[in-house]
Amino acid sequence: MFDALDMASQLALGGYRGRYMVVTPALPRPEMIRVEIAQLCPGTTVELVRRARH
């Protein structure tokens, strides 16, 4: 199992510089998560997309 931070680390190792969209459940502080991911993967545009409820 891995999470969005693990993926961001792998993208950074590969030199990725693009858009990283993360589908998430409802988060209490999504901006904090977005900033942490952006720090792990500089040069990447991070977008958190809330998963639709069915």
Side-chain angles (χ1 to χ4, degrees), residues 29-50:
R29 297 184 64 191
E31 183 60 21
M32 185 175 78
I33 301 297
R34 191 197 65 74
V35 167
E36 188 173 354
I37 293 170
Q39 289 173 345
L40 280 173
C41 201
T44 303
T45 302
V46 179
E47 184 177 341
L48 299 180
V49 179
R50 187 172 173 190

Side-chain angles (χ1 to χ4, degrees), residues 4-6 16 18 21-22 37 41 43 49-50 53-54:
L5 294 173
D6 296 327
Y16 182 75
M21 295 181 68
V22 181
I37 293 170
C41 201
V49 179
R50 187 172 173 190
R53 295 184 65 180
H54 291 104

